[in-house]
Amino acid sequence: MRRLGQQVIAAATTLSFLFLMVHTTLAADPEIDRLIRGPVGKDWVTNGGNLTNQRYSTLKQIDTTNVAQLKGAWMTRLKGSGAAGKYSFEASPLVKDGIMYVVTGNDDVFALNAKTGTIIWEYWSGIDQRISTVCCGWVNRGLAMGEGLLFSGQLDANLVALNMKTGEVVWKTPLEKWENGYTITSAPLYYDGIVYSGISGGEFGVRGRLTALDAKSGAILWRSYTLPGLGERGSETWPPGTDHSTRGGATIWNTPALDPDLGLVYFATGNCGPDYDGSMREGDNLYCASMMALKAKTGEYVWHFQQVHHDIWDYDAASPVVLFDTVIDGKPRKGIAQAGRTGWVYILDRTDGKPLIGIDEKPVPQDPRQKTAKTQPIPRGDAVVPQCAELLPGYEKAGCIFETFWETPVLMQPSGIGGTNWSPVPYSPDTGYFYVPGTVRTSAFTRFGDKYVQGLRYTGGSQSAPIGSPMSGTFTAIDGTTNKIAWQHKTPYRIGGGGGSSVTAGGLVFRGEPDGNFLALDAKTGKELWRFQTGFGADAPPVFYEVDGEQYVAIATGGNQLQGSAYGDAVWAFSLKGQLGPLWPPPAPQTVAGPTGPIAAGADAVRIGANNIEYSFAPARMRIKAGSTVTFTNVGDLPHSATSMDRGKWDTGVMVKGQSKAITFAQPGNYYYICLPHPWQYGQVIVE
Ligand SMILES: [Cu+2]
């Protein structure tokens, strides 16, 4: 990380040098640079609103006094793009000069008239539907724009630039190959001629990195790895003489933030790999589950803060980092915050990465087999979700956030599927609050060995919510000066998994719910002021814009498979002059983990991924006679398995599309099973 020269190919160094010379005098796109350096006004030109990722708009035509009158101005269906069970719709639309740009879970991009919703052009990505290295739903978390181009990171690991006027491809640069485990799910960031992109693949034994490209040509300027090479800074936190760090994960799930005055680009990193097996990677394992700052021009390391040492719980820092300015003890401070799956908000000084409010290293449970870290950093203040699990029938042990586990399942919260996951966290300079969505659910963790094979899952264990365990959420205002709860709502559904919210100078927080409702809350008190049924899972983070003097609020409603909400392909825009009323509600998400649906009697086959519901068993529940054989066939697009909840009992193994495996159930009993790659996918065989 320290020596840029090692990471940059010679040609690119020369190129970027020339490029920097030019850019010190003349910005490539002064208008976009100005817009994303300043407060968000009538346009919303980058995923997080501006370079801070605050998702705070200065528009205030819609405010606490009139929001109750808000109605739909228009609703547009995106021609079925991304409308199937394997997709999530997590992108914020971008808006500039009355035109909206939105990307779906299939990486298809649409330009719409932001006043009427009429489609102006379409870009169909044509991405390979056989991509097998997507861990957590087919998703694109948003676009960036600059120099007349739109930038989109695709699941096939290509970064694409489209002409903003026509949707035509101007350049396409592969950052990696999906066959090797790499995908792109994050929104890129454009600033000062450079496009920054993260990369995903933390469940597939990959090496995380931030890649910087020349916006005009698509040439790669530099790559800054989040895992050290041999002898590099941080390599001492991996076992000496091994190459575990080269496949240790630390991917970048989300849009970076950038401070132009400090010249730093910031992001957070994902879990260590293999996720649940720390036995062979003794040490803190930098820079997994960390916040990082690099020099924005060169990618050179500046500072890091690791949230979870030697992560064995899948505690990714998946939500985007947020930059904010505040006053603490009478002194103005430059802050950076990130909400983790741990349930805490980590608040640091963005000049040096030191805690702003206080984060204390405290002793945690130990298991020498997992080579657990002696201490973990515990932020002062409040967690937004419960951090201990209750014991459930059928389990021997339940523990808290950093409990250890080996081969016997151990229950824990928040777990790697709880807390704040990919959802962004808005910040309002008016209230000084962060608005933090969280998921409340229990996971049963087990470790088993995994051999590294390039391009295949490499997790070393599993976590899944126990059958019958409750799943819900929280929405919390956290005071940025104390890291304490100002107000908190319990929500009926999971909302930290990619659902979103944004905040305005009109004193309003807007957020969607997985049951299709779109809400406006008083940002200061949390009081609900407006609610509208959109008809589809309303999970994506909303945005604000203005056309012809009228303020709009827009949200993509396309569901989120991790939150269990109904899929769709709609974009809604609301305004005070809107005329459209609510739609019929979609099916509500599950609030209890486990298989659902009627019990099929006499069936002898289970189809996985059937009926356009990728993460499903059909039938999910069945009753058979002892001695019967059930044939499991994968008819979906992605690799799936049927694996006994007690993994030792039976397992089809991971099957690609078209593969089958027959399992004979000799003994009467109640057999629950999951899909190992997608442990929220449940089935049940009742044997009589
Ligand atoms: Cu599956």
Side-chain angles (χ1 to χ4, degrees), residues 608 614-617 638-641 674-681:
I608 312 178
E614 185 67 38
Y615 306 99
S616 72
F617 300 103
L638 311 179
H640 296 284
S641 76
I674 55 170
C675 168
L676 206 54
H678 314 112
W680 58 90
Q681 185 182 334

Side-chain angles (χ1 to χ4, degrees), residues 16 57 65 68 152 185 204 253-254 310 419 422 485 521 609 623:
S16 63
S57 169
T65 67
S152 173
T185 55
F204 293 86
W253 280 117
N254 247 303
H310 189 77
W422 295 281
I485 294 174
L521 313 176
R623 182 180 282 121

Side-chain angles (χ1 to χ4, degrees), residues 372-565:
T372 42
K374 297 279 175 285
T375 61
Q376 293 288 356
I378 314 290
R380 292 177 206 162
D382 298 325
V384 301
V385 292
Q387 291 174 309
C388 292
E390 284 174 32
L391 193 59
L392 295 167
Y395 292 88
E396 289 171 21
K397 189 175 175 188
C400 298
I401 177 166
F402 297 119
E403 188 53 77
T404 67
F405 59 92
W406 192 243
E407 281 160 7
T408 307
V410 175
L411 301 178
M412 264 178 261
Q413 276 191 12
S415 87
I417 46 179
T420 307
N421 213 323
W422 295 281
S423 296
V425 169
Y427 174 80
S428 166
D430 303 331
T431 61
Y433 296 163
F434 293 102
Y435 300 93
V436 188
T439 290
V440 181
R441 74 193 280 186
T442 301
S443 271
F445 283 86
T446 50
R447 176 267 177 203
F448 50 80
D450 234 354
K451 217 173 82 201
Y452 172 71
V453 180
Q454 190 174 51
L456 294 186
R457 280 178 66 82
Y458 180 60
T459 59
S462 73
Q463 63 169 323
S464 58
I467 303 290
S469 61
M471 304 184 292
S472 66
T474 55
F475 190 72
T476 310
I478 287 278
D479 186 322
T481 60
T482 61
N483 207 5
K484 291 196 170 134
I485 294 174
W487 52 260
Q488 180 173 64
H489 294 172
K490 305 247 188 289
T491 67
Y493 308 108
R494 295 159 272 165
I495 61 167
S501 47
S502 299
V503 62
T504 74
L508 296 169
V509 180
F510 284 85
R511 70 173 185 84
E513 289 241 318
D515 67 354
N517 278 302
F518 189 35
L519 316 180
L521 313 176
D522 185 312
K524 188 71 197 164
T525 65
K527 187 178 179 221
E528 185 180 313
L529 301 175
W530 175 77
R531 168 179 289 253
F532 186 98
Q533 176 53 254
T534 64
F536 309 93
D539 303 275
V543 301
F544 314 101
Y545 62 94
E546 186 185 304
V547 186
D548 295 339
E550 189 169 7
Q551 184 189 341
Y552 295 83
V553 184
I555 181 172
T557 55
N560 181 305
Q561 56 82 22
L562 209 80
Q563 300 189 158
S565 57

Side-chain angles (χ1 to χ4, degrees), residues 111-404:
L112 313 175
N113 180 318
K115 196 173 173 174
T116 63
T118 311
I119 294 176
I120 298 168
W121 56 252
E122 302 150 35
Y123 159 76
W124 293 86
S125 69
I127 54 170
D128 194 334
Q129 296 298 304
R130 296 167 304 169
I131 296 172
S132 58
T133 46
V134 180
C135 91
C136 313
W138 283 44
V139 64
N140 183 317
R141 297 198 169 84
L143 303 165
M145 71 168 71
E147 305 181 33
L149 303 174
L150 283 177
F151 308 101
S152 173
Q154 299 192 153
L155 288 169
D156 61 6
N158 281 299
L159 198 78
V160 179
L162 307 177
N163 181 320
M164 277 175 71
K165 291 209 171 80
T166 63
E168 279 162 338
V169 176
V170 175
W171 54 256
K172 185 185 230 182
T173 300
L175 302 193
E176 260 291 350
K177 285 192 174 134
W178 68 259
E179 292 89 338
N180 293 343
Y182 293 88
T183 52
I184 307 174
T185 55
S186 57
L189 177 71
Y190 171 88
Y191 181 67
D192 196 11
I194 299 179
V195 183
Y196 301 91
S197 177
I199 203 143
S200 307
E203 276 61 51
F204 293 86
V206 305
R207 190 176 185 202
R209 72 202 62 175
L210 187 73
T211 305
L213 299 92
D214 175 14
K216 199 169 281 334
S217 67
I220 293 176
L221 300 172
W222 46 260
R223 298 180 184 91
S224 190
Y225 290 100
T226 55
L227 292 170
L230 278 178
E232 287 178 345
R233 188 183 195 288
S235 61
E236 71 284 359
T237 66
W238 295 84
T242 71
D243 59 357
H244 291 302
S245 73
T246 62
R247 50 179 176 272
T251 54
I252 303 174
W253 280 117
N254 247 303
T255 317
L258 194 147
D259 184 327
D261 297 327
L262 295 172
L264 301 180
V265 61
Y266 305 91
F267 55 87
T269 62
N271 59 276
C272 281
D275 304 37
Y276 312 106
D277 184 6
S279 65
M280 89 298 276
R281 49 176 172 86
E282 183 166 19
D284 278 352
N285 302 152
L286 293 175
Y287 300 93
C288 301
S290 299
M291 297 158 75
M292 297 190 77
L294 311 178
K295 288 193 177 161
K297 289 287 185 196
T298 63
E300 196 181 343
Y301 169 92
V302 178
W303 59 254
H304 78 275
F305 179 89
Q306 191 174 46
Q307 297 179 352
V308 179
H309 305 316
H310 189 77
D311 170 37
I312 54 170
W313 305 272
D314 198 27
Y315 280 141
D316 297 61
S319 176
V321 295
V322 184
L323 311 186
F324 69 112
D325 294 329
T326 190
V327 176
I328 292 181
D329 297 333
K331 289 194 196 109
R333 303 293 297 268
K334 291 175 186 290
I336 180 171
Q338 202 276 339
R341 291 184 185 174
T342 57
W344 281 304
V345 181
Y346 298 82
I347 301 177
L348 312 176
D349 182 328
R350 71 174 177 273
T351 64
D352 59 9
K354 300 280 187 290
L356 207 54
I357 289 168
I359 301 178
D360 307 305
E361 289 285 340
K362 292 188 181 166
V364 290
Q366 295 294 303
D367 187 332
R369 293 170 298 186
Q370 282 279 33
K371 308 284 196 297
T372 42
K374 297 279 175 285
T375 61
Q376 293 288 356
I378 314 290
R380 292 177 206 162
D382 298 325
V384 301
V385 292
Q387 291 174 309
C388 292
E390 284 174 32
L391 193 59
L392 295 167
Y395 292 88
E396 289 171 21
K397 189 175 175 188
C400 298
I401 177 166
F402 297 119
E403 188 53 77
T404 67

